């Protein structure tokens, strides 16, 4: 029996700039079940990042209902949202967003720090996650000493280390060359095969086709879905 | 979490050493000034109180001023009158004094000569290097015995012990000579505000008034209080009584305890005044902390965004930056304490006192700098915690 991990019902996100209203997301409804591998596609400005940020609780909707793991995020304060981000969501960004002064290991440990896990356990869990992405031997390296693909692997290790319900990746291959991007995609694929729910944004049709589910956005609305 | 934040803060300091050092300057100077001032205050108090206490803290001295009204009033018997006038007096010992020239075969010394009772040595906390003081009986008998201050003893008897030897007193313009036997030499004693013990010689009061000088005027009444009586209260009563007899310009009173109290009050208020100045530099230092923290928050906007995306709650972010501000001020505080100690040591050394470290000042200084850290770190930390995660993440 498949279980809903992401549930959106008529979600809107409007930005008011001066007396102009940008409808970044304009009534999106969507359900993603555990274990699905979903790609989100669409032209620039269609609201892909906006949707990812809402799912990841980095942002709050203007209206509509969002449920993560069956729990509505409506009316949650910043502390509660932070808790969801920490426990339920693993983010992977286009620009890696690693902490520049920290080693790969302590980057991966950071979410565990906020989860209140003991230093010893943190280290074990972070090393396991780095092992999964194949970078255990680079754990003492700082981001500046790593290639783009390696940085993204560290970021993926950081996203999976808390064993979240959802892995959200906003154009994770956008800053990488095709070959490296392909390797990163394979990594996501294998994570999905291990049972993790992955949602990622891409402009690359070939990468999108690797997924069992595709969602196409245009002007803040879902225009195609299969 | 605190430990993690502390390490983060040290990291942040390490990456911008010069900037950190410059922003800490205000705190270092402020804390240094606080520490120096409090240390100086405690050293001054200790040194002044110390030298005053040499005269005895439970002693009040009354000095008659020779004038028309006081003529014939201040004799030895006046002690009893004074004694009966006031509560709280244990003993009154009258002292007469003048200058005298002393001579041995080889040496001559000029000193102040005190005629006093046998209890004098006790009330002044005088101790003997060799020999002893004269007895009450020797006073009654008007014996020609003398106790020498340490400097006089050295001058008159540079090579050998003075006790048992004779000295000749040469009195007045006509140079009448009296031979005295030395029965004691005092230990060296720091001079009090009114007495130079080392340069004086001490003979029995009766010997003084009957044999040496035909003048019955007492130069000082040394009043020792009963224990438990307040110097100030008793001296007020004495003043009132003296006023009624000879008027306020017929005498002066002096008590080491009161002078010490005044000196402590002066240094205490001086300390407070200077501490206020130090407070201003702490304020300036605090603004420096606020400045560096604001810069730090602005520079690390992206980092804050990342941490928020990873699940750091606003209070966690706030904690991180407050701990960072606290770490800064704590380091500043420690440097300030070192600076303050060096400063007070230098000043005390120049003044020729001994340094008395006030450990309270360390606690006060660290407390001050922590308060400054929390106070001025709060606003930047608040700003950091309230950053919008997406805006922070997209910040370049
Ligand atoms: N903070 C904001 N203020 C105003 N408008 C915004 C803001 N963030 C996004 N938008 C607008 O919302 C719309 C959707 O933006 P979004 O970033 O979700 O697009 P996207 O699909 O991710 O595009 P891309 O493929 O270029 O990343 C855009 O028109 C954008 O200009
Ligand atoms: Mg986008």
């Amino acid at each position: 029996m498949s279980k809903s991990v992401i549930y959106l019902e008529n979600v809107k996100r409007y930005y008011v700039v001066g007396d102009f209203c940008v409808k970044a997301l304009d009534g999106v409804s969507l359900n993603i079940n555990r274990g699905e591998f979903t790609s989100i596609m669409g032209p620039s400005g269609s609201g892909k990042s906006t949707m990812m940020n809402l799912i990841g609780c980095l942002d709050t909707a203007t209206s509509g209902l969002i449920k993560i793991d069956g729990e509505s995020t409506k009316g949650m304060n910043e502390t509660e949202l932070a808790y969801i981000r920490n426990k339920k969501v693993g983010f992977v960004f286009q620009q890696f967003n690693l902490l520049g002064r920290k080693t790969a290991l302590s980057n991966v440990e950071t979410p565990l720090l906020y989860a209140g896990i003991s230093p010893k356990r943190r280290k074990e869990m972070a090393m396991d996650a780095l092992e999964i992405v194949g970078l255990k031997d680079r754990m003492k390296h700082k981001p500046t000493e790593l290639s783009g693909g390696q940085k993204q692997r560290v970021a993926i290790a950081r996203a999976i280390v808390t064993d979240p319900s959802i892995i959200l990746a906003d154009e994770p291959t956008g800053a990488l060359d095709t070959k490296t991007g392909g390797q990163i995609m394979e990594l996501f694929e294998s994570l999905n095969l291990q049972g993790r729910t992955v949602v990622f944004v891409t402009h690359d049709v070939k990468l999108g086709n690797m997924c069992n589910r595709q969602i196409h956005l245009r002007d803040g609305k879902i225009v195609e879905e299969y | 979490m605190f430990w993690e934040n502390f390490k983060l803060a040290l990291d942040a300091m390490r990456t911008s050493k010069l900037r950190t050092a410059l922003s800490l300057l205000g705190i270092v100077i402020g804390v240094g000034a606080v520490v120096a001032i409090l240390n100086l205050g405690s050293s001054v108090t200790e040194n002044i109180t110390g030298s005053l206490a040499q005269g005895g803290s439970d002693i009040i001295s009354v000095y008659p001023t020779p004038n028309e009204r006081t003529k014939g009033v201040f004799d030895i018997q006046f002690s009893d009158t004074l004694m009966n006038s006031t509560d709280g007096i244990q003993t009154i010992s009258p002292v007469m004094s003048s200058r005298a020239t002393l001579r041995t075969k080889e040496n001559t010394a000029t000193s102040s000569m005190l005629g006093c009772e046998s209890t004098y040595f006790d009330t002044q906390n005088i101790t003997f290097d060799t020999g002893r003081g004269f007895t009450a009986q020797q006073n009654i008998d008007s014996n020609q015995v003398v106790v020498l201050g340490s400097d006089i003893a050295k001058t008159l008897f540079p090579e050998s012990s003075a006790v048992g030897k004779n000295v000749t007193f040469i009195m007045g313009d006509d140079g009448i000579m009296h031979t005295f036997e030395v029965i004691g030499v005092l230990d060296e004693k720091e001079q009090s505000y009114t007495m130079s013990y080392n340069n004086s010689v001490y003979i029995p009061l009766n010997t003084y008034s009957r044999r040496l000088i035909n003048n019955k005027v007492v130069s000082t009444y040394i009043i020792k209080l009963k224990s438990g009586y307040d110097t100030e209260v008793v001296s007020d009563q004495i003043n009132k009584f003296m006023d009624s007899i000879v008027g306020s310009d017929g005498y002066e009173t002096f008590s080491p305890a009161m002078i010490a109290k005044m000196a402590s009050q002066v240094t205490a208020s001086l300390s407070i005044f200077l501490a206020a100045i130090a407070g201003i530099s702490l304020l300036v230092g605090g603004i420096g902390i606020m400045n560096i923290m604001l810069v730090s928050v602005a520079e690390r906007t992206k980092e804050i965004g990342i941490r928020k995306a990873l699940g750091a709650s606003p209070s966690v972010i706030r904690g991180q930056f407050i701990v960072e501000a606290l770490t800064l001020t704590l380091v500043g505080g420690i440097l300030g304490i070192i600076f303050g100690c060096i400063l007070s040591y230098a000043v005390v050394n120049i003044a020729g006192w001994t340094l008395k470290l006030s450990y309270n000042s360390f606690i006060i200084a660290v407390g001050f700098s922590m308060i400054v850290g929390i106070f001025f770190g709060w606003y930047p930390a608040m700003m950091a915690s309230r950053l919008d995660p997406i805006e922070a993440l997209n910040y370049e």
Side-chain angles (χ1 to χ4, degrees):
Chain A
M1 175 65 201
S2 50
K3 188 173 171 261
S4 163
V5 275
I6 302 171
Y7 178 78
L8 272 61
E9 190 182 298
N10 199 22
V11 170
K12 296 179 179 171
R13 179 66 169 105
Y14 294 172
Y15 292 106
V16 179
V17 184
D19 45 22
F20 192 73
C21 181
V22 182
K23 297 182 174 179
L25 223 53
D26 196 15
V28 167
S29 296
L30 171 72
N31 184 63
I32 293 175
N33 286 329
R34 168 151 304 152
E36 280 193 280
F37 192 22
T38 311
S39 70
I40 295 172
M41 304 182 72
S44 186
S46 57
K48 304 183 293 296
S49 296
T50 304
M51 192 166 103
M52 295 293 270
N53 292 338
L54 286 172
I55 295 170
C57 294
L58 283 171
D59 195 9
T60 46
T62 309
S63 72
L65 182 67
I66 300 172
K67 285 183 177 176
I68 306 297
D69 257 357
E71 189 183 359
S72 169
T73 61
K74 209 173 198 116
M76 281 188 170
N77 64 26
E78 256 299 308
T79 304
E80 291 164 326
L81 291 173
Y83 181 83
I84 302 268
R85 292 198 288 267
N86 186 244
K87 295 279 186 230
K88 309 255 174 191
V89 182
F91 269 107
V92 180
F93 302 93
Q94 180 175 359
Q95 293 304 331
F96 322 125
N97 283 348
L98 297 175
L99 298 171
R101 289 198 300 261
K102 300 268 160 192
T103 62
L105 185 68
S106 56
N107 261 289
V108 179
E109 277 187 38
T110 305
L112 301 172
L113 173 69
Y114 298 135
I117 289 166
S118 76
K120 187 167 166 279
R121 186 87 190 93
R122 281 206 300 265
K123 194 170 177 190
E124 289 166 6
M125 290 170 76
M127 285 188 354
D128 288 348
L130 281 169
E131 176 123 60
I132 291 172
V133 301
L135 271 184
K136 202 179 171 191
D137 54 331
R138 298 299 180 95
M139 65 182 194
K140 293 283 175 219
H141 289 228
K142 294 198 174 164
T144 46
E145 298 154 8
L146 297 170
S147 72
Q150 287 169 334
K151 276 190 260 207
Q152 199 59 303
R153 283 170 189 275
V154 173
I156 291 168
R158 186 178 65 181
I160 62 173
V161 74
T162 53
D163 194 22
S165 309
I166 321 159
I167 294 166
L168 297 175
D170 194 348
E171 296 189 51
T173 60
L176 304 172
D177 62 58
T178 321
K179 186 167 163 256
T180 319
Q183 289 166 352
I184 292 296
M185 268 319 287
E186 280 163 27
L187 182 55
F188 276 116
E189 212 172 9
S190 72
L191 290 174
N192 174 247
L193 286 173
Q194 289 159 22
R196 291 183 172 88
T197 312
V198 178
V199 181
F200 78 98
V201 174
T202 183
H203 285 285
D204 189 327
V205 183
K206 221 168 71 194
L207 295 182
N209 286 337
M210 287 168 72
C211 303
N212 50 26
R213 190 159 173 210
Q214 283 186 29
I215 291 166
H216 286 255
L217 284 177
R218 178 167 295 138
D219 295 334
K221 291 190 165 81
I222 295 179
V223 290
E224 235 183 318
E225 192 181 353
Y226 41 82
Chain B
M1 193 57 98
F2 177 84
W3 183 238
E4 294 295 328
N5 284 339
F6 185 66
K7 280 198 285 189
L8 271 176
L10 289 181
D11 264 3
M13 286 173 71
R14 231 174 280 136
T15 47
S16 52
K17 286 195 198 74
L18 182 64
R19 193 173 73 193
T20 305
L22 289 176
S23 335
L24 280 183
L25 215 56
I27 293 282
V28 174
I29 292 173
V31 170
V34 170
V35 170
I37 286 149
L38 295 179
N39 279 344
L40 286 178
S42 70
S43 301
V44 167
T45 310
E46 176 91 348
N47 283 275
I48 287 183
T49 317
S51 72
L52 282 169
Q54 295 291 324
S57 57
D58 55 349
I59 301 284
I60 299 172
S61 305
V62 176
Y63 300 94
T65 316
N67 64 21
E68 278 310 304
R69 240 182 120 177
T70 61
K71 205 172 219 169
V73 176
F74 294 120
D75 51 16
I76 294 174
Q77 279 69 44
F78 183 75
S79 297
D80 299 330
T81 320
L82 190 54
M83 183 89 177
N84 294 329
S85 74
T86 311
D87 263 358
I89 296 176
Q90 189 175 323
T91 55
I92 299 184
S93 87
V95 174
M96 298 180 175
S97 71
S98 61
R99 305 218 40 94
T101 303
L102 280 69
R103 183 173 289 166
T104 59
K105 266 198 195 90
E106 293 85 15
N107 302 300
T108 306
T110 308
S111 79
S112 79
M113 173 178 71
L114 272 73
C116 50
E117 291 177 338
S118 56
T119 51
Y120 179 85
F121 304 104
D122 268 352
T123 52
Q124 299 288 307
N125 302 322
I126 284 170
T127 52
F128 290 87
D129 177 45
T130 47
R132 50 181 183 77
F134 41 81
T135 60
Q137 193 58 46
Q138 284 174 312
N139 185 25
I140 292 167
D141 296 346
S142 303
N143 286 354
Q144 299 204 165
V145 290
V146 63
V147 171
L148 303 180
S150 61
D151 284 354
I152 299 293
K154 260 177 243 152
T155 311
L156 293 177
F157 302 98
E159 259 117 50
S160 58
S161 166
V163 176
K165 307 257 166 59
N166 286 341
V167 282
T168 306
F169 282 55
I170 301 163
M171 300 306 304
D173 299 331
D174 33 7
I176 303 164
M177 300 206 271
H178 304 268
T179 303
F180 278 69
E181 184 194 349
V182 179
I183 57 167
V185 175
L186 303 188
D187 278 326
E188 252 181 67
K189 183 170 164 71
E190 205 175 314
Q191 73 178 52
S192 79
Y193 271 66
T194 51
M195 266 300 290
S196 170
Y197 297 98
N198 299 343
N199 282 312
S200 302
V201 299
Y202 309 81
I203 63 173
L205 183 63
N206 282 337
T207 315
Y208 183 102
S209 62
R210 292 187 189 149
R211 301 210 173 179
L212 290 195
I213 294 179
N214 207 10
N215 178 359
K216 309 286 187 240
V217 179
V218 169
S219 55
T220 318
Y221 296 96
I222 295 173
I223 299 165
K224 189 176 167 74
L225 302 190
K226 286 182 186 158
S227 67
Y229 279 83
D230 184 56
T231 319
E232 219 168 323
V233 173
V234 176
S235 67
D236 273 356
Q237 286 173 5
I238 291 171
N239 286 347
K240 233 173 252 148
F241 176 71
M242 295 294 287
D243 281 354
S244 72
I245 293 191
V246 291
S248 62
D249 51 5
Y251 72 101
E252 276 176 65
T253 50
F254 175 92
S255 83
M258 281 168 66
I259 297 285
K261 204 167 187 176
M262 250 167 62
S264 315
Q265 274 166 3
V266 168
T267 50
S269 54
L270 195 71
S271 300
I272 290 166
F273 169 70
L274 293 171
I277 289 177
I280 292 169
S281 39
L282 277 179
L283 185 75
V284 173
I287 292 167
I289 293 293
M290 180 133 124
N291 186 46
I292 193 182
M293 289 307 298
L294 285 172
V295 171
S296 173
V297 169
E299 266 184 354
R300 286 151 70 194
T301 301
K302 179 130 195 162
E303 176 194 322
I304 294 163
I306 295 169
R307 289 181 182 279
K308 287 196 157 195
L310 299 178
S313 65
S315 62
V316 165
I317 298 289
R318 197 167 57 228
Q320 178 186 335
F321 284 93
I322 285 178
V323 168
E324 184 168 322
L326 272 178
T327 308
L328 272 171
T329 46
L330 192 66
V331 170
I334 289 166
L335 292 177
I337 286 174
I338 295 169
F339 171 63
C341 284
I342 294 172
L343 197 67
S344 37
Y345 181 75
V347 173
V348 161
N349 238 12
I350 290 165
W353 296 321
T354 45
L355 181 64
K356 169 134 192 301
L357 284 182
S358 147
Y359 295 102
N360 272 349
S361 74
F362 300 164
I363 296 165
I364 290 170
V366 169
F368 255 111
S369 55
M370 301 287 258
I371 289 168
V372 166
I374 291 177
F375 188 81
F376 290 94
W378 190 265
Y379 177 69
M382 259 341 246
M383 297 231 328
S385 74
R386 285 185 183 157
L387 284 176
D388 179 73
I390 298 172
E391 275 174 34
L393 270 172
N394 293 336
Y395 185 87
E396 287 312 323

